Amino acid sequence: MRREFAPYLAAAAAASAEELNVKFRLCCGEPGSEESPNVGQAQALLSMGADRDSKCPTAGWTALHHASGLGLKKVVEFLVDEAKADIDAKDNEGC
């Protein structure tokens, strides 16, 4: 594990399942993140039990919705190719 991830992941290790999911969506580009999208953090959070297809409660967007909406190519590639995110996931409006 790279040193700059250590404090972030230590806090995530003590998190509930929903907190892990929120942290995962944030590091994949969900608005409100104080950090830039980070594939390394996303990989670590998935290994700790984050749900790759978890949805934000307001719009029902997944990490893939957020990353693709922001044009974050590397994050989208990671989510689709490695994390096997659901490319057919629907948001709260059915999109």
Side-chain angles (χ1 to χ4, degrees):
M1 168 182 3
R2 291 179 16 195
R3 284 184 180 246
E4 68 266 21
F5 296 161
Y8 181 85
L9 297 177
S16 70
E18 183 52 30
E19 290 170 326
L20 280 176
N21 293 339
V22 169
K23 289 178 186 299
F24 177 72
R25 290 192 309 267
L26 286 173
C27 74
C28 289
E30 181 174 348
S33 177
E34 296 177 3
E35 300 178 28
S36 60
N38 189 301
V39 171
Q41 289 176 353
Q43 289 170 322
L45 289 163
L46 282 176
S47 72
M48 293 174 6
D51 178 359
R52 67 181 177 246
D53 296 315
S54 69
K55 297 182 176 190
C56 67
T58 52
W61 279 29
T62 65
L64 183 57
H65 285 115
H66 290 293
S68 60
L70 293 170
L72 302 172
K73 183 180 177 188
K74 287 184 181 183
V75 177
V76 169
E77 288 173 348
F78 160 73
L79 290 168
V80 172
D81 297 337
E82 292 182 43
K84 305 297 185 207
D86 181 0
I87 60 171
D88 296 315
K90 305 285 187 223
D91 66 13
N92 291 350
E93 295 181 4
C95 297

